[in-house]
Amino acid sequence: MPSTLITLSRLAGVIIGGPSLLANAHTMGALYVGYKGSILQISSVVSTVVAICADVVILVSTVAYLIDNNWRFFTQCSATVNILKRAYSINVVYVTVMRFRAINQGKSFPLLEKRSIVYVYMAAYTAFSVATATLQIYAYVSNNWVSAVARVSETFRLYRIFNFVTSFMYVILGVAVDTQFLLMGQSNSLHESKFTKTRAIHNHWLYIGLEVAAFAGFTLHSFSSPHPSAK
């Protein structure tokens, strides 16, 4: 059973990796349409390049595993993807925090009136991201990249806790901003008409629900005992 789940997990990487790569390529094109060289645009371009690199590593490693499940570099690729995803997410979280602050300013949230709250949140998220990547790498390196041994080590257990906190900081903001934006749209006829037109091909509430469900699954996985045979 565990080997079947692992194979399905790798197959999911192949299925998701392609569309993700395509979406990030389209994002890069969209960024260049209105590119003016601002700091935020530059950081967005860099983070998108990093995201594309992560997609390529996911596709190459999962395909290689499905061809040969004894492929020796899969663990290294897994750690590389984690580092790339954390690096990419920093810019995404920054933009999301700014959106959250803009939406909620003047709504009985005096703390959000201070721009310093953005820097505090970003400092905390960056610190947890660095800690997450460092703990994972240390767990693997200290066990000679033997995944089955590393995943039951104390360092890896600590990594899973830090990884959960970092992911929570990422998800909670995204869900909050998307939900608030949709609720605001319901009171704005122009926004509501746009949401209605796009609902046939993109149901926003459905995708928010899927994001919450995915995070719930991730939470259960984070606090479950790792199977020693997992690669």
Side-chain angles (χ1 to χ4, degrees), residues 172-214:
I172 192 66
L173 269 179
V175 172
V177 169
D178 288 344
T179 301
Q180 285 184 301
F181 187 70
L182 287 173
L183 291 175
M184 288 171 59
Q186 291 179 351
S187 60
N188 183 303
S189 58
L190 178 60
H191 287 173
E192 178 60 23
S193 64
K194 291 182 178 180
F195 290 146
T196 301
K197 290 177 182 177
T198 60
R199 195 168 293 141
I201 57 175
H202 183 90
N203 189 310
H204 302 83
W205 288 113
L206 173 63
Y207 280 92
I208 290 176
L210 289 174
E211 189 172 3
V212 172

Side-chain angles (χ1 to χ4, degrees), residues 133-196:
T134 302
L135 286 168
Q136 186 187 36
I137 293 296
Y138 181 78
Y140 284 135
V141 170
S142 60
N143 289 285
N144 298 315
W145 292 98
V146 180
S147 180
V149 178
R151 290 175 63 86
V152 294
S153 67
E154 289 299 323
T155 303
F156 199 86
R157 290 191 179 94
L158 189 59
Y159 149 74
R160 296 178 88 184
I161 294 173
F162 272 79
N163 190 44
F164 172 79
V165 173
T166 310
S167 300
F168 179 79
M169 293 178 71
Y170 179 93
V171 171
I172 192 66
L173 269 179
V175 172
V177 169
D178 288 344
T179 301
Q180 285 184 301
F181 187 70
L182 287 173
L183 291 175
M184 288 171 59
Q186 291 179 351
S187 60
N188 183 303
S189 58
L190 178 60
H191 287 173
E192 178 60 23
S193 64
K194 291 182 178 180
F195 290 146
T196 301

